[in-house]
Amino acid sequence: MFKRQKSLASERKRGLFSQGATRSLWKNDMRNFQYLSQFVLSAGPLKLFPGVRHSKTTHFEIEILDAQTRKQICIVDKVTQTSTIHDVKQKFHKAYPKWYPSRVGLQLECGGPFLKDYITIQSVAASSIITLYFTDLGQQVSWITVFLAEFTGPLLIYLLFYLRIPCIYDVKESSRRLRHPVVHLACFFHCMHYIRYLLETLFVHKVSAGHTSLKNLLKGCAFYWGFTSWIAYYINHPWYTPPAFGNRQVTVSAISFLICEAGNHFINVMLSHPYHTGNNACFPSPNYNPFSWMFFLVSCPNYTYEIGSWISFTVMTQTLPVGIFTLLMSIQMSLWARKKHKIYLKKFNSYMHRKSAMIPFIL
């Protein structure tokens, strides 16, 4: 009996000893955990070393379908993330040489907008396989070709009418009647206007490197060349009558024309400055040049001066064809000015809230 009690006591001591040992171990573990957590918190966020990253270049497969028939034309493979739509067009051109890159139109959806050449594949990719829809844009021409053709035609056509070629006017009537001085002045101003256009296209304007349809070139040439023929025919006709108010009307409108031409040129030079072009462009601010003060009132003063030139030319020559041409140009430029004004409002809201688009306080 005594031995049994002794063994029970010894077992209790062992149990107490084991409990104390476990408690001391648990306390030590808690202290170690606290020390470890404090160390981690003091060390800051974990940083990955450059050597740990293993980035692999992802390649895409681009399936090109016909936008009308939805049939597959080809598959462009091994396209990297950094490749652009222009690179895809180049590979498509190698497979089908008759469709050069500027003629190829690619869309993410049928009827959607055409993707710009500078867009990267990674920005439009939802998976490793991309489906694009192809549309033949037709024969293309560069924008600088369009502008040079549109502005060279009126310059030469007006001079042909000014010389009074026998196949246009009657030779006897042309020799009998002397020309009014406004006829010579109108020829000089008209040629100066389009020579300025040509020089600015070549040396001032940042002409886009893109292309447009040949139809747009034909439409533009038909508009400018056709109206120039109509205007020049009436002003250089032997039976042309001078303005009703004589030299006063001619002098005032001529001065107004020269002011507007100078203003248009200086505004175009300002807009071509690197600070005012590109994605990080800032809105032009008026400076010491008095022609730039128009920026206080309108966001597109180049259109304001352009319309002013044609209104002055209409008053100076007092002919119906020039008036109709001025009206159509005013409508077109007002649409362009409103479109640009909306873009400026998004980019430069603090500068644009008190401005008009083209005509101060009106439009």
Side-chain angles (χ1 to χ4, degrees), residues 10-25:
S10 62
E11 286 177 3
R12 287 179 181 176
K13 288 180 180 180
R14 289 174 185 175
L16 292 171
F17 179 78
S18 62
Q19 288 180 0
T22 54
R23 287 179 181 175
S24 62
L25 290 173

Side-chain angles (χ1 to χ4, degrees), residues 147-184:
F147 294 143
L148 292 178
E150 287 179 350
F151 303 148
T152 304
L155 179 64
L156 300 177
I157 290 172
Y158 197 97
L159 290 175
L160 292 177
F161 283 90
Y162 176 76
L163 297 174
R164 290 185 176 178
I165 299 175
C167 62
I168 300 176
Y169 302 112
D170 184 59
V171 179
K172 294 181 180 180
E173 290 294 333
S174 300
S175 59
R176 286 178 186 177
R177 296 182 176 273
L178 296 176
R179 302 186 190 188
H180 193 273
V182 71
V183 176
H184 304 290

Side-chain angles (χ1 to χ4, degrees), residues 79-290:
V79 179
T80 62
Q81 294 179 350
T82 58
S83 297
T84 61
I85 296 296
H86 181 71
D87 297 331
V88 176
K89 290 181 179 180
Q90 291 283 359
K91 293 185 177 181
F92 184 74
H93 174 58
K94 290 181 179 179
Y96 297 92
K98 65 177 181 179
W99 288 319
Y100 48 91
S102 61
R103 187 169 181 165
V104 176
L106 297 177
Q107 303 162 290
L108 281 174
E109 299 176 355
C110 288
F114 292 105
L115 298 174
K116 302 293 184 181
D117 288 347
Y118 57 82
I119 295 177
T120 59
I121 298 301
Q122 187 178 8
S123 62
V124 298
S127 63
S128 60
I129 300 176
I130 307 170
T131 301
L132 297 179
Y133 296 91
F134 161 74
T135 301
D136 184 9
L137 300 178
Q139 191 171 357
Q140 303 287 298
V141 291
S142 63
W143 278 110
I144 192 168
T145 303
V146 174
F147 294 143
L148 292 178
E150 287 179 350
F151 303 148
T152 304
L155 179 64
L156 300 177
I157 290 172
Y158 197 97
L159 290 175
L160 292 177
F161 283 90
Y162 176 76
L163 297 174
R164 290 185 176 178
I165 299 175
C167 62
I168 300 176
Y169 302 112
D170 184 59
V171 179
K172 294 181 180 180
E173 290 294 333
S174 300
S175 59
R176 286 178 186 177
R177 296 182 176 273
L178 296 176
R179 302 186 190 188
H180 193 273
V182 71
V183 176
H184 304 290
L185 190 62
C187 179
F188 175 74
F189 281 176
H190 191 275
C191 293
M192 181 182 68
H193 179 78
Y194 282 100
I195 289 174
R196 178 182 65 81
Y197 265 176
L198 292 171
L199 293 177
E200 288 180 353
T201 301
L202 294 173
F203 304 108
V204 176
H205 293 300
K206 305 296 182 182
V207 181
S208 173
H211 296 75
T212 186
S213 175
L214 181 62
K215 295 180 181 179
N216 293 332
L217 171 64
L218 298 178
K219 288 179 182 178
C221 291
F223 178 79
Y224 282 101
W225 296 13
F227 264 104
T228 300
S229 301
W230 192 22
I231 291 170
Y233 177 81
Y234 274 86
I235 295 177
N236 296 286
H237 199 281
W239 292 92
Y240 169 76
T241 55
F245 295 96
N247 293 332
R248 290 184 180 180
Q249 181 176 344
V250 173
T251 303
V252 172
S253 56
I255 294 173
S256 176
F257 179 87
L258 292 175
I259 292 174
C260 291
E261 285 291 300
N264 198 345
H265 173 70
F266 285 117
I267 295 298
N268 289 333
V269 172
M270 286 184 64
L271 293 176
S272 65
H273 196 276
Y275 289 139
H276 307 143
T277 57
N279 296 327
N280 298 324
C282 60
F283 187 77
S285 57
N287 52 27
Y288 61 88
N289 189 341

